[in-house]
Amino acid sequence: MKIVHYADILLKSMKKINLSRIKNLFRYLKKEGVQGTKKRLLECIYDGAGNRMPPVAKVRTFQSAWECERLELAVCNKPKVSVILPVYNEFAFTYQCLASIVHAADKAEMEVILADDHSTDLTRQICSVVSNLKVVRSEHNVGFLRNCNQAAEHASGEYLFFLNNDTQVQKGWLDTQLRLMEEDPSIGMTGAKLVYADGRLQEAGGIIWKDGSAWNYGNGQDSSAPEYNYVKDVDYLSGAAIMIRAGLWRQVGGFDVRFAPAYCEDSDLAFAVRKAGYRVVYQPQSVVVHYEGVSNGKDVHTGIKKYQLENTKKLYEKWKHEIQRACMSGNNVFQSRERSKGKKVILFVDHYVPMPDRDAGSRTVYQYVRMFLNQGFQVKFVGDNYHKSEPYTQRMQQMGVEVLYGAYYQKHFFTWLEENKQWIDFAFLNRPHISIKYIDYFREKTDIKIIYYGHDLHFLRNRREYALTKDPKKEKEAKEWEEQEFYLMRHAHISYYPSQIEADEVQKIDPAIRVKAVTAYAFDTFPKNQQNDFAKREGILFVGGFAHDPNQDAVLWFVKEVYPLIRKERQVAFMIAGSYPTSEIEKLDGKNGIIVKAFASEEELASLYASCRIAVVPLRYGAGVKGKVVEALYHGIPVVTTPIGAEGIGEIRTAACIVEEVQSQAAGKAFAAQVVSLYDDTVRLREMSIASQELARKQFSMDAVWEKIKEDFEKTFPEGEGKKDENVG
């Protein structure tokens, strides 16, 4: 098999060889080492068609300004952002840059300042073809750096965006950087993903090595590759497209004039921003096409470009202590590209990128990812289907998570893991049918500590279903799941399950297994108290995804055995909200007050929780803490459920009504009576609503979860614990 694989690589690579690529090969070997170069080679072979060509207008030569189509920038009396374009001649590039700003039509309130460094070409006539452009013109040529500093003095925005004139911006170039700044006050400066006109990547943030040399991370690569498309801290950002808080700019004194006329002033600014206590962050959603070298060429030995070498030495001397402390050697791209030196790295493995508005398991994983980010971890994520599912993948990337997806990683994930395992501290494996594919590699080939999160005990759930249905297929499935789940737990360093009942069940069978009850839900924010005048609310609500069999059974049983009895007493609507409904459930829509909503966004769900009187969770089998119950508590809506629904949640009787028996012939009648009784008692409903939110804050906050598990990430497990034993499983 390996011979066939390598033959395939050789054949494909032969077809792509040319002189330029041979030169690049030696350049990458010098900068990124064998492993980095190998990955570039494999990406070129398997994903070479992945470059994304942005909509770039051709830069043409103008003999007169009157040949240009008139551009109209928006009038802005109170700008949020001051966009500063430093220019010296090159009218055609400046005009196309301004045209791209107009066509991108980003929503941020901005003023555009043309910093004209005493141009002698058509730039002097630019106001005749561009309306609402603010021009600051130098009386003589002062050079790039001083030109920027002078123009910034005329800016009135809360933020300054320095944009080279040899660029063309893409939609979202400004709004996405502004959003990062507005949402996170710790960020002082952001920068764009720079691409060449053919779509290849120019830079995804910059790296400063321990010797003071610099590297444009990802140069020449596929700009759509996952490693270049997540928000991250970086050593520096190219000054071609950066945003900084105006107050911070003034605080650090702008660009340091010791780097005049140009080069390394952007790297120096990044170090100054960090010294002032702020972060420097790369925003991949801000895409800017950059025609590198238009103004000063590419030869570092002549003209202005020669200052690049001189200023590199100045930068190193100025920041030598910081560079030696925080930067790394050139063979450690994994950590250097995101300044993760000293940070713990955790790799999540699940079936797909979490979709928290579609299923409870996804919500768990999503919240746990957020918790680890809040605790300062670098988080990596791989979904076993390797799909780039939107908008979910992008949401994770914007949180700062590197998500591995696509053809390259599907073929080479274990190669990636082998190359980077020394930098990864923990693996967080989810679900038995996914974890079983990965756990042996982690145990046998790496020293990574393995946390296995089962979400629920599948064998226990199937046993309970068998007890209810007597279906021999469920008995067989229970035995198969038990074998697989205990194999995983015996090979992990520690295992988590949402309820103490599950943890006790595991230890009852094998007391040697390290297992801990850890809630499946970790909220970082809580809604304000909802409308507590329950007399103004209407209806009964069920929320749950129907890819999960217990939810199908629960709704069908409720509709058949419970809801008709409720309708005899009260003409109330029954709202069913859940993804992937079966045809049997879809057919319920519109019958006798039943409303089926196949998918509800997070905003729509919040509205349903706030407008309905009661949530019902009529589960007859299952295992573990139920997400639908926790979510109802979180939103402050009183719950009527069963012992299965209430399982694993301490003190739940203060916030929910539990109908003890749901497997007898009288179960439907008992459940209906409880709903009707509670539905009319608005005083009790209000009391339960308050109690439910108090319970949620106490048990399901990120702080509470972290307090329970933090020791597992701060200590070293004893040698041999969780090690593979050929005689188990």
Side-chain angles (χ1 to χ4, degrees), residues 359-369 430 453 455 519-522:
D359 66 89
S362 283
R363 177 153 294 193
T364 296
V365 174
Y366 178 76
Q367 290 176 344
Y368 270 64
V369 166
N430 291 269
Y453 196 58
H455 290 256
T519 178
Y521 300 92

Side-chain angles (χ1 to χ4, degrees), residues 214-269:
W215 178 247
N216 295 340
Y217 177 59
N219 182 264
Q221 290 298 292
D222 179 357
S223 60
S224 67
E227 57 265 43
Y228 310 125
N229 283 286
Y230 65 102
V231 169
K232 61 181 180 176
D233 287 73
V234 292
D235 288 340
Y236 74 93
L237 297 157
S238 170
I242 56 173
M243 178 186 281
I244 185 171
R245 299 178 188 276
L248 178 59
W249 166 265
R250 290 188 285 270
Q251 178 184 334
V252 301
F255 288 134
D256 188 339
V257 295
R258 80 180 73 181
F259 296 98
Y263 294 108
C264 295
E265 73 285 335
D266 44 13
S267 301
D268 173 72
L269 183 63

Side-chain angles (χ1 to χ4, degrees), residues 448-684:
I448 297 169
K449 299 298 182 285
I450 303 167
I451 292 85
Y452 167 62
Y453 196 58
H455 290 256
D456 66 11
L457 274 176
H458 287 51
F459 81 85
L460 181 59
R461 169 159 43 95
N462 277 270
R463 272 189 196 169
R464 288 172 172 175
E465 188 175 1
Y466 170 70
L468 182 67
T469 65
K470 304 304 179 185
D471 182 353
K473 180 182 176 184
K474 296 301 175 184
E475 183 181 31
K476 180 184 177 185
E477 288 177 358
K479 291 178 181 177
E480 292 171 349
W481 279 120
E482 182 175 0
E483 180 180 350
Q484 188 173 104
E485 288 175 304
F486 275 89
Y487 181 91
L488 289 163
M489 286 184 276
R490 285 167 180 147
H491 290 70
H493 290 89
I494 191 167
S495 299
Y496 296 156
Y497 279 95
S499 73
Q500 191 61 49
I501 291 172
E502 292 165 295
D504 291 344
E505 186 74 21
V506 169
Q507 297 236 290
K508 190 191 306 179
I509 297 172
D510 187 346
I513 289 175
R514 286 178 54 84
V515 62
K516 184 178 288 188
V518 182
T519 178
Y521 300 92
F523 298 104
D524 55 348
T525 60
F526 288 84
K528 296 178 181 178
N529 286 332
Q530 302 290 339
Q531 167 59 260
N532 281 327
D533 186 352
F534 280 84
K536 295 181 179 179
R537 296 193 185 195
E538 295 286 345
I540 299 168
L541 176 65
F542 174 90
V543 176
F546 294 105
H548 194 52
D549 290 345
N551 289 340
Q552 297 178 36
D553 175 82
V555 166
L556 294 174
W557 176 78
F558 183 83
V559 168
K560 180 180 178 182
E561 302 291 340
V562 181
Y563 188 55
L565 299 177
I566 295 173
R567 290 281 287 185
K568 285 182 180 179
E569 300 291 331
R570 300 287 182 276
Q571 291 295 302
V572 298
F574 178 39
M575 173 69 76
I576 302 169
S579 57
Y580 313 114
T582 63
S583 58
E584 191 174 7
I585 289 172
E586 285 180 331
K587 290 176 182 176
L588 297 174
D589 188 36
K591 294 182 179 179
N592 301 318
I594 299 174
I595 303 168
V596 178
K597 190 171 182 59
F599 172 76
S601 67
E602 293 181 31
E603 293 76 15
E604 290 172 321
L605 278 178
S607 178
L608 288 173
Y609 280 120
S611 60
C612 292
R613 281 199 194 185
I614 294 175
V616 293
V617 186
L619 291 168
R620 299 197 297 165
Y621 65 90
V625 174
K626 311 305 180 299
K628 58 190 66 62
V629 177
V630 174
E631 193 170 77
L633 297 174
Y634 171 80
H635 285 283
I637 183 172
V639 178
V640 179
T641 188
T642 65
I644 296 294
E647 186 173 72
I649 304 176
E651 305 175 38
I652 191 172
R653 292 182 184 276
T654 63
C657 296
I658 302 171
V659 180
E660 296 295 341
E661 182 55 60
V662 291
Q663 297 186 14
S664 69
Q665 291 184 345
K669 187 175 181 180
F671 204 103
Q674 188 66 262
V675 171
V676 171
S677 172
L678 182 61
Y679 195 88
D680 290 335
D681 192 342
T682 56
V683 173
R684 189 178 176 206

Side-chain angles (χ1 to χ4, degrees), residues 114 234 273 298 384 398 423 439 478 547 549 554 617 644 656 685 722:
L114 190 80
V234 292
V273 165
K298 298 182 180 180
D384 187 59
Q398 286 294 294
W423 316 116
I439 196 164
D549 290 345
V617 186
I644 296 294
L685 286 169

Side-chain angles (χ1 to χ4, degrees), residues 390-406:
E390 297 299 6
Y392 306 102
T393 297
Q394 201 166 88
R395 179 189 295 186
M396 294 276 281
Q397 291 171 322
Q398 286 294 294
M399 288 162 55
V401 179
E402 181 179 9
V403 183
L404 309 181
Y405 55 80

